[in-house]
């Protein structure tokens, strides 16, 4: 690929980051407008959180569709359709009915499934392998800036009296405008651009996933990433505000800011850990180091909660959980180049499949008892749940193949 075409892909990647930023704003914002959404949809808090969680049903499954679409149709059409679906999902929240809410959240998950694989696909076209992990880290950094804005910014808006209808209307409009920008900015791919000497001829729609899912390393990458991602997607972005309010007696604003610090930690952790792993040429040491940092931050909130504020603890948790993005580099490096989109779609599917499975488990064991049992014990036990998952991720990472540049040179 010519250097000039690579530059066009980098420009397209920048516009893809806008899509990913909006993805995280829309993903995280419901956590700070739960009372308003309960009134809007005329439902209970527990049912509303279940409604919000339906996002991950379509997000995980449509990640597979996104991967196939990127490999078969390219980024131009795929990202346009994905962004448009997300915009429609936002506008459905204006219906103020439970059917509209569930349908809107399902479409939001389906549309957002195209954001990260699309950005990684564009980055893999524009950046060299030596800087790919850094580019992926920056991508996730922008996403988490959106997650931070979805709580730090939207929370005060709700307190100031901005209606949920206003938020979802403008979110939908901004997303649809982004869809058309992506369509006009992303270069049109030539068929020859996607081919390689090692690529099988007449590769079917499902063949890329057969290649990816037959590789045990793909499953290890997805499970590790899912276990490291879950404390942010399930706890920080869904339950944390309610837990800090009811178990720790925080005021709403303080609880919202504290939970948002995880996303703020990701802003720094994703590019930093991506840069370190590119710099040292090793993936696994940084992956395990980030996971250990997550465990230490959670243990501090359990054992030494007065050592420093919960905001700092949650920031450190987010900083360490940036390691969840490292398997996204590993899966691309352990699978052929001609399944770039599918490998990212596959890891997204496995990662958020883990989230989809863990979410009802956490809700059943800890969500339903929120405010009904001993507050301090309830809070501590909920954190031990996540520590167990992170320890499991570390154990599984021992079976992961090292794919850093130094490992390739050694081989």
């Amino acid at each position: 690929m010519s250097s000039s075409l690579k530059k066009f892909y980098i420009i397209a990647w920048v516009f893809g980051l806008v899509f990913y930023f909006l993805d995280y704003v829309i993903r995280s914002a419901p956590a700070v407008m739960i009372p308003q959404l309960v009134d809007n949809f005329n439902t209970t808090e527990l049912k509303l959180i279940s409604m919000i969680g339906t996002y991950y049903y379509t997000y995980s499954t449509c990640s597979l569709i996104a991967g196939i679409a990127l490999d078969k149709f390219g980024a131009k059409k795929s990202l346009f359709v994905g962004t448009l679906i997300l915009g429609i999902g936002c506008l459905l929240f204006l219906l103020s009915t439970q059917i509209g809410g569930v349908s809107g959240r399902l479409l939001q998950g389906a549309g957002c499934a195209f954001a990260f694989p699309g950005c990684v696909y564009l980055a893999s076209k524009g950046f060299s392998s030596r800087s790919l992990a850094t580019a992926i880290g920056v991508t996730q950094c922008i996403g988490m800036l959106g997650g931070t804005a979805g709580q730090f910014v939207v929370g005060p808006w709700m307190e100031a009296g901005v209606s949920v209808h206003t938020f979802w209307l403008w979110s939908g409009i901004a997303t649809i405008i982004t869809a058309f920008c992506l369509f006009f900015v992303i270069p049109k791919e030539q068929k020859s651009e996607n081919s390689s000497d090692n690529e099988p001829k007449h590769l079917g729609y499902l063949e890329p996933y057969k290649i990816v899912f037959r590789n045990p390393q793909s499953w290890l990458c997805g499970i590790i990433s899912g276990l490291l991602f879950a404390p942010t997607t399930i706890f920080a972005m869904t339950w944390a505000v309610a837990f800090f309010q009811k178990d720790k007696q925080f005021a709403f604003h303080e609880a919202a800011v504290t939970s948002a610090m995880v996303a703020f930690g990701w802003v720094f952790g994703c590019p930093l850990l991506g840069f370190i792993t590119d710099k040292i040429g090793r993936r696994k040491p940084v992956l395990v180091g980030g996971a250990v940092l997550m465990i230490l931050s959670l243990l501090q909130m359990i054992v030494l909660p007065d050592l420093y504020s919960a905001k700092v603890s949650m920031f450190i948790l987010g900083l360490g959980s940036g390691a969840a993005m490292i398997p996204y580099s590993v899966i691309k490096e352990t699978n052929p180049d001609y399944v770039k989109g599918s490998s990212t779609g596959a890891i997204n599917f496995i990662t958020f499949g883990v989230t989809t499975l863990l979410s009802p488990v956490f809700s059943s064991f800890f969500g339903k008892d929120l405010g009904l049992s001993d507050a301090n014990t309830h809070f501590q036990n909920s954190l031990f749940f996540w520590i167990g998952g992170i320890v499991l991720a570390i154990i599984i990472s021992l079976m992961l193949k090292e794919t850093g540049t130094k490992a390739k040179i050694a081989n």
Side-chain angles (χ1 to χ4, degrees), residues 20 24 116 133-134 136-141 144 224-225 227-232 261-277 283 286-294 297 314-329 390:
Y20 197 43
Y24 260 96
F116 187 75
T134 303
I136 291 175
V138 171
T139 300
Q140 191 61 26
C141 167
M144 297 315 293
I224 293 166
S225 184
L227 290 171
L228 297 181
F229 220 136
T232 63
M261 291 303 291
V262 169
F264 196 52
W266 269 71
V267 171
F268 294 94
C270 291
L272 176 63
L273 297 182
F275 173 77
I276 292 172
T277 189
R283 307 299 192 206
V286 184
L287 174 62
V288 173
V292 170
L293 188 61
M294 292 176 70
S297 68
M314 296 292 277
F315 175 82
I316 295 173
L317 176 66
L319 192 71
S321 63
M325 301 315 302
I326 294 174
Y328 280 78
S329 296
I390 298 166

Side-chain angles (χ1 to χ4, degrees), residues 304-342:
L304 298 170
D306 298 324
L307 184 62
Y308 41 77
S309 71
K311 295 184 183 70
V312 176
S313 306
M314 296 292 277
F315 175 82
I316 295 173
L317 176 66
L319 192 71
S321 63
M325 301 315 302
I326 294 174
Y328 280 78
S329 296
V330 176
I331 195 172
K332 295 180 73 63
E333 293 160 342
T334 56
N335 284 288
D337 287 341
Y338 54 85
V339 291
K340 283 184 174 73
S342 296

Side-chain angles (χ1 to χ4, degrees), residues 111-348:
C112 286
F114 287 78
F116 187 75
C119 286
V120 172
Y121 182 90
L122 293 172
S124 67
K125 296 280 189 179
F127 294 93
S128 68
S129 59
R130 288 184 175 273
S131 55
L132 181 59
T134 303
I136 291 175
V138 171
T139 300
Q140 191 61 26
C141 167
I142 298 300
M144 297 315 293
L145 277 174
T148 304
Q151 295 183 314
F152 268 126
V153 178
V154 178
W157 282 355
M158 295 296 107
E159 286 186 295
V162 174
S163 71
V164 291
H165 282 182
T166 300
F167 172 80
W168 291 107
L169 172 64
W170 285 105
S171 294
I173 291 172
T175 306
I176 290 171
I177 291 173
T178 302
F180 284 96
C181 289
L182 283 166
F183 185 79
F184 290 112
V185 168
I186 296 174
K188 186 176 181 180
E189 297 182 56
Q190 300 299 320
K191 190 174 182 181
S192 59
E193 184 183 325
N194 288 325
S195 62
S196 69
D197 294 338
N198 297 321
E199 180 178 351
K201 303 300 180 184
H202 308 297
L203 199 65
Y205 283 97
L206 297 180
E207 286 301 316
Y209 281 122
K210 289 182 181 179
I211 294 169
V212 176
F213 283 122
R214 282 174 181 167
N215 183 354
Q217 291 292 310
S218 300
W219 288 97
L220 296 178
C221 288
I223 294 169
I224 293 166
S225 184
L227 290 171
L228 297 181
F229 220 136
T232 63
T233 54
I234 300 174
F235 183 64
M237 291 188 178
T238 306
W239 285 101
V241 175
F243 269 68
F244 281 116
Q245 274 188 285
K246 295 183 179 180
D247 281 352
K248 306 298 285 185
Q249 304 303 308
F250 285 12
F252 172 78
H253 178 75
E254 186 181 5
V257 171
T258 301
S259 65
M261 291 303 291
V262 169
F264 196 52
W266 269 71
V267 171
F268 294 94
C270 291
L272 176 63
L273 297 182
F275 173 77
I276 292 172
T277 189
D278 279 339
K279 192 71 174 176
I280 68 173
R282 300 282 181 183
R283 307 299 192 206
K284 291 174 67 174
V286 184
L287 174 62
V288 173
V292 170
L293 188 61
M294 292 176 70
I295 292 173
L296 292 175
S297 68
L298 292 171
L299 283 175
Q300 179 269 319
M301 283 194 283
I302 295 170
V303 181
L304 298 170
D306 298 324
L307 184 62
Y308 41 77
S309 71
K311 295 184 183 70
V312 176
S313 306
M314 296 292 277
F315 175 82
I316 295 173
L317 176 66
L319 192 71
S321 63
M325 301 315 302
I326 294 174
Y328 280 78
S329 296
V330 176
I331 195 172
K332 295 180 73 63
E333 293 160 342
T334 56
N335 284 288
D337 287 341
Y338 54 85
V339 291
K340 283 184 174 73
S342 296
S343 62
T344 308
I347 190 172
N348 250 8

Side-chain angles (χ1 to χ4, degrees), residues 27-87:
R27 185 187 306 195
S28 62
V32 296
M33 56 176 73
I34 287 175
Q36 293 89 341
L37 289 176
V38 166
D39 293 337
N40 184 58
F41 294 119
N42 191 27
T43 186
T44 65
E45 184 175 301
L46 192 60
K47 287 182 179 179
L48 177 72
I49 291 177
S50 296
M51 180 192 299
I52 293 170
T54 59
Y55 172 100
Y56 294 106
Y57 298 159
T58 47
Y59 187 93
S60 58
T61 53
C62 288
S63 292
L64 296 176
I65 297 173
I68 293 173
L70 286 164
D71 282 334
K72 290 298 178 182
F73 305 111
K76 192 179 189 74
K77 294 178 181 177
S78 302
L79 286 179
F80 171 72
V81 171
T83 317
L84 196 63
I85 290 172
L86 175 58

